[in-house]
Amino acid sequence: MKAFRSAILRFADDGSALYEEDGLLVIGPDAHGRQVVRAVGPYRELAANYPGVAVEHLPGRIIAPGFVDLHIHFPQTDVIGSPSEGLLPWLEDYTFPHESRFVDAAHAEEAATFFLDELLRHGVTTALAFGTSHPSSVDALMGEAQRRGLRLVAGKVLQDRHCPDGVRDQTEQSLIDTEALIGRWHGQGRLGYAITPRFAPSCTDAQLRGAGELAAKYPDVWIQSHVAENLEEVEWARKLFPSARSYLAVYEGFGLMRARAVYAHCIHLDEEDRALMHATGAAAAVCPTSNLFLGSGFFDYAAARRAGFHYGLGSDVGGGTSFSPFHTMLAAYYVGREGRTKAGVSLSPQNLWWQHTAGAAQAMGLQGVIGNLQPGCEADFVVLDPAVTPLLARKTKQAASLDELLFSLIVLGDDRVIERVHIAG
Ligand code: GUN
Ligand code: ZN
């Protein structure tokens, strides 16, 4: 066992933040040998219980849960900042050409290494990630994550229509490949697999049906896709699936809505769609930097809260503009202000932080496992330096409440704030 003395941020079950100014975090193996949080709380109360345990003192620092990125595309690192009119031309002009390069295993390996370095540099310790349609892209990412001991969930993109040669897959083979990847990676150490239809417009009925059959056969495997991001995309989906009540209902019809299904964006939903999200246990990945960059629209936080479905934050790199959870949380604040219905909400700093840690973990069905520092949680955490820039030092010194401290970090923070990252202790 080992312990860290520092300020410590964690979350209660209701999503409110718990903060120890002078805390102790005790890490050690659980019954299965996983490095987990064994105890956490005020230093003065806990220290006497762990007399032989080495304590590292981190004055002036904050220990916080590693961030969870609920939606990201590992092959789109080089797509960040590609200018476009909107989603559909952006896919054609930048995304598909970049993704076609992943047929080359050496390129995929290099990109996987860079991608995971970048996530960790920004304090992101778990991601729910898209690969490309090439199964070897997933092998590259999973292999690299396994070497680093990361908890990561990823999947091969399914797309057997409406995309060019070089990224389009074959219906039957794509399902065979998906099942083989589930067998190879799902549950290997900390890794998980996600069945990954890119979005309904890029998948035939046969491919979506096959994906749904796999989702039923492997109930603890994740599902990830996109829905209702952009108005032209919504219109296209309606034309392609005229008998479905809505775009979201297409996924329901193929058995792709359940717990552990995470749908990116969920902007242009109606109340019935939101009720369906809640009833099925599916979750939304809110991707504000992407939605602002591609002009897609504004996630409606007030409506999501009324409907009661799970949601959390994702970067959506490379539609998203940053790997930084601080940038994503700030963009979420702007999006919340706007709201699709103009009845915006002022998201609290604690809630923004929760959406990128414990809330995102809950959306993945991994509450109590990652995204928090309560006893029993896996010991993935970051050490933050709240005084790393002159302005941050000046601002955070004046913070009179936890919300003021967290908001200073959200508004002014970036990768410089992340001093250290601990994976499984
Ligand atoms: N919809 C279908 N594919 C994509 C993608 O790669 N990025 C985003 N943002 N939306 C999508
Ligand atoms: Zn995406």
Side-chain angles (χ1 to χ4, degrees):
M1 286 206 288
K2 59 184 171 181
F4 300 86
R5 179 181 181 182
S6 166
I8 300 173
L9 176 69
R10 65 195 206 277
F11 293 91
D13 288 346
D14 68 0
S16 60
L18 303 169
Y19 191 68
E20 308 292 347
E21 298 254 1
D22 183 14
L24 189 72
L25 181 72
V26 183
I27 305 295
D30 69 2
H32 311 286
R34 298 178 315 156
Q35 287 291 321
V36 298
V37 176
R38 297 284 297 264
V40 60
Y43 176 81
R44 65 178 185 286
E45 286 178 19
L46 277 185
N49 300 344
Y50 298 92
V53 174
V55 178
E56 184 174 355
H57 192 194
L58 300 165
R61 303 297 188 267
I62 303 167
I63 287 180
F67 291 102
V68 176
D69 192 327
L70 200 51
H71 180 75
I72 189 165
H73 298 255
F74 114 78
Q76 293 181 16
T77 303
D78 298 335
V79 180
I80 290 182
S82 299
S84 187
E85 287 294 310
L87 173 67
L88 300 178
W90 174 85
L91 285 170
E92 288 292 330
D93 297 341
Y94 294 102
T95 305
F96 293 146
H98 274 283
E99 293 195 4
S100 70
R101 299 175 63 200
F102 285 73
V103 68
D104 172 7
H107 177 68
E109 297 281 347
E110 186 278 331
T113 301
F114 185 91
F115 173 80
L116 293 180
D117 285 349
E118 199 64 11
L119 281 185
L120 290 171
R121 233 169 47 70
H122 285 90
V124 177
T125 50
T126 287
L128 176 57
F130 276 52
T132 64
S133 55
H134 316 96
S136 56
S137 72
V138 174
D139 290 329
L141 184 62
M142 294 287 207
E144 191 56 34
Q146 192 172 48
R147 279 188 280 284
R148 298 170 190 233
L150 289 175
R151 183 169 282 286
L152 182 103
V153 180
K156 170 208 131 50
V157 164
L158 296 166
Q159 49 185 11
D160 64 352
R161 66 168 172 171
H162 298 143
C163 53
D165 290 351
V167 296
R168 198 175 54 256
D169 57 16
Q170 302 286 325
T171 314
E172 206 169 320
Q173 189 62 43
S174 71
L175 299 167
I176 292 169
D177 289 341
T178 295
E179 190 159 21
L181 287 165
I182 292 170
R184 186 139 73 243
W185 294 113
H186 186 69
Q188 290 298 314
R190 304 185 75 199
L191 303 175
Y193 192 81
I195 298 165
T196 307
R198 174 168 221 116
F199 62 159
S202 73
C203 303
T204 60
D205 283 27
Q207 194 176 44
L208 290 170
R209 193 172 309 113
E213 284 165 8
L214 288 172
K217 185 170 173 185
Y218 299 99
D220 67 336
V221 159
W222 282 267
I223 298 165
Q224 58 179 347
S225 192
H226 298 92
V227 74
E229 174 178 8
N230 164 290
L231 289 172
E232 280 93 62
E233 171 216 16
V234 172
E235 193 46 41
W236 193 24
R238 282 193 203 287
K239 287 207 177 95
L240 292 170
F241 300 93
S243 61
R245 193 202 70 82
S246 69
Y247 183 179
L248 187 70
V250 173
Y251 296 115
E252 190 207 11
F254 288 106
L256 290 165
M257 293 198 66
R258 59 158 167 73
R260 294 199 167 198
V262 178
Y263 284 90
H265 309 303
C266 295
I267 295 170
H268 307 286
L269 300 183
D270 62 19
E271 290 306 312
E272 245 181 273
D273 291 327
R274 293 190 181 93
L276 184 61
M277 292 289 293
H278 176 71
T280 57
V286 184
C287 303
T289 74
S290 171
N291 300 157
L292 295 170
F293 181 74
L294 291 172
S296 303
F298 299 84
F299 181 78
D300 192 333
Y301 278 101
R305 285 176 174 179
R306 280 196 303 274
F309 62 84
H310 293 308
Y311 58 83
L313 286 173
S315 66
D316 195 26
V317 161
T321 53
S322 175
F323 280 87
S324 172
F326 299 105
H327 293 178
T328 303
M329 290 187 286
L330 179 57
Y333 181 72
Y334 296 146
V335 162
R337 278 296 211 193
E338 174 71 17
R340 195 165 115 73
T341 57
K342 308 278 183 207
V345 290
S346 180
L347 296 168
S348 74
Q350 295 184 28
N351 178 260
L352 290 162
W353 209 291
W354 173 86
Q355 286 187 50
H356 225 333
T357 53
Q362 182 184 66
M364 291 180 74
L366 291 176
Q367 61 277 17
V369 181
I370 54 167
N372 208 344
L373 291 173
Q374 297 286 39
C377 288
E378 294 176 351
D380 292 340
F381 61 94
V382 290
V383 178
L384 308 178
D385 181 355
V388 73
T389 69
L391 182 54
L392 267 169
R394 189 178 166 98
K395 271 292 293 177
T396 56
K397 196 166 64 185
Q398 296 177 54
S401 67
L402 178 59
D403 272 336
E404 288 184 14
L405 174 66
L406 297 181
F407 220 4
S408 295
L409 289 163
I410 289 169
V411 174
L412 300 172
D414 56 29
D415 50 306
R416 291 170 294 182
V417 170
I418 310 293
E419 187 172 86
R420 273 160 54 176
V421 180
H422 288 251
I423 303 297

